[in-house]
């Protein structure tokens, strides 16, 4: 980690001191005191990015005149000249970033962050904000920052597992879980990374299934999915999180059937990844059983939320998560680009999808 730089910035909303990269002890202190901080806002998550991708720490600690502090998790993309690079919180596929602030964020402070990011000498700056912060940032966003809608689905664990099971799980999900419990499935949970190869085996099978569902050439699907989630990434996350990374695995006659990965920090549990052999898993409803067990454990550990991640509205995945009582929350991304690179990329993807008759699952 580079020695932190101390900067005094002057913005239209006022001055602030910036320390970058942010000192880890202060970052952890702010995370621990902010009850709304997510798993993906921790220094551990930053370490996962930097260890498994071409990223460097660009986090920024803002200190204001009244002594209040705001921590912005941020990475810069390496291997590019700064003017052609990006600073993001976080890059696509890495989930929710955004500021950590135990005392909340006022409109003036929000504008200072936006003004500072607008001055960054890079091609693109982007921040994905967590649910609940939307109004503050929407009002503070200056011209030039484009909002991009995202939705994340979260199960409220208030009341404990009995309440979640009886009042939030859909009848269909409870029925599926009972079916799985009466099957010949064996379930284990690994917190050491030992089951990473088994998960990857199932994930490779899932890629083939997704390609068929989306009418996507298998070679393209493998390239795209492995670029989004390379094989070593789960091993890195398991090593960084240790016991707070749980790989739940369902077996049948010695064969891996389905698996989910759940991360935990403080009151937040995050359902991060899933994979399965559908021919073996679906008839016995293995995945609902794994989520039921993970949610029960999250309740036992005192978690308040089970974050099931992002979904496309009205998709089959969104309906699956809603069956566990997951409620959709807005979690927008705001970005500023000096050149319209993202628009060009989106246009190219639309053309390719039309050519191959791609169907969103």
């Amino acid at each position: 980690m580079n020695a932190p730089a101390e900067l005094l910035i002057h913005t239209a909303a006022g001055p602030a001191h910036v320390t970058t990269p942010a000192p880890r002890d202060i970052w952890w202190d702010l995370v621990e005191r902010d009850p709304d901080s997510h798993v993906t806002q921790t220094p551990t998550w930053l370490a996962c990015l930097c260890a498994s991708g071409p990223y460097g720490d660009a986090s920024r600690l803002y200190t204001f005149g009244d002594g209040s502090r705001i921590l912005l998790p941020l990475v810069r993309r390496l291997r590019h000249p700064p003017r052609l690079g990006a600073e993001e919180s976080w890059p696509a596929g890495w989930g929710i970033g955004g500021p950590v602030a135990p005392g909340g964020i006022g409109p003036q402070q929000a504008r200072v962050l936006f003004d500072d990011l607008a001055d960054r000498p890079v091609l693109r700056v982007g921040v994905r904000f967590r649910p609940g912060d939307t109004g503050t940032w929407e009002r503070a966003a200056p011209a030039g920052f484009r909002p991009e809608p995202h939705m994340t689905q979260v199960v409220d664990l208030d009341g404990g597992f009995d309440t979640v099971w009886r009042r939030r799980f859909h009848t269909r999900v409870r029925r599926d879980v009972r079916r799985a419990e009466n099957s010949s499935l064996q379930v284990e949970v690994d917190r050491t990374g030992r089951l990473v190869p088994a998960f990857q085996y199932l994930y490779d099978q899932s890629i083939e299934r997704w390609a068929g569902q989306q009418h996507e050439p298998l070679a393209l699907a493998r390239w795209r999915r492995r670029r989004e989630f390379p094989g070593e990434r789960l091993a890195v996350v398991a090593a960084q999180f240790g016991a707070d990374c749980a790989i739940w695995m369902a077996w049948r006659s010695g064969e891996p059937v389905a698996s989910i990965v759940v991360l935990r920090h403080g009151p937040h549990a995050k359902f991060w990844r899933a994979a399965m052999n559908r021919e073996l898993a679906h008839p016995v409803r293995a995945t609902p059983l794994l989520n039921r067990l993970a949610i029960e454990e999250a309740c036992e550990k005192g978690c308040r939320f089970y974050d099931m991640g992002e979904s496309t509205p009205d998709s089959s995945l969104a309906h699956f998560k809603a069956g566990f009582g997951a409620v959709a929350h807005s979690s927008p991304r705001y970005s500023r680009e000096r050149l319209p690179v993202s628009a060009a990329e989106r246009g190219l993807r639309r053309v390719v999808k039309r050519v191959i008759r791609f169907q969103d699952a």
Side-chain angles (χ1 to χ4, degrees), residues 142-146 335-337:
F145 276 82
R146 182 180 62 85
S335 60
R336 184 272 297 153
E337 290 186 320

Side-chain angles (χ1 to χ4, degrees), residues 151-279:
M151 176 186 79
T152 190
Q153 290 176 267
V154 181
V155 182
D156 183 355
L157 304 183
D158 185 48
F161 182 70
D162 287 344
T163 298
V164 175
W165 170 264
R166 288 184 291 103
R167 299 184 182 179
R168 297 182 192 134
F169 278 27
H170 191 277
T171 302
R172 166 182 51 79
V173 172
R174 293 199 298 269
R175 184 172 60 247
D176 286 348
V177 168
R178 293 190 184 103
R179 182 172 177 175
E181 290 173 335
N182 292 326
S183 72
S184 57
L185 289 173
Q186 297 88 44
V187 175
E188 69 171 315
V189 57
D190 165 46
R191 306 180 202 279
T192 68
R194 176 178 55 85
L195 291 179
V196 167
F199 180 92
Q200 197 61 47
Y201 172 75
L202 289 172
Y203 188 77
D204 289 342
Q205 293 182 338
S206 296
I207 292 175
E208 296 181 17
R209 184 180 77 255
W210 295 328
Q213 291 174 340
Q214 297 173 329
H215 202 270
E216 184 177 11
L218 182 56
L220 176 60
R222 284 174 174 159
W223 173 83
R224 187 170 63 85
R225 295 284 185 173
R226 288 171 180 167
R227 183 169 178 261
E228 170 192 307
F229 185 63
E232 68 275 9
R233 185 164 295 170
L234 177 55
V236 168
V237 170
Q240 292 287 343
F241 274 88
D244 288 330
C245 173
I247 303 176
W248 294 84
M249 183 73 65
W251 303 83
R252 191 174 189 184
S253 302
E255 179 81 8
V257 170
S259 184
I260 66 172
V261 181
V262 179
L263 309 176
R264 187 170 64 87
H265 162 70
H268 290 262
K270 179 175 177 60
F271 166 54
W272 182 48
R273 291 282 174 177
M276 69 174 172
N277 179 327
R278 183 175 174 80
E279 291 183 359

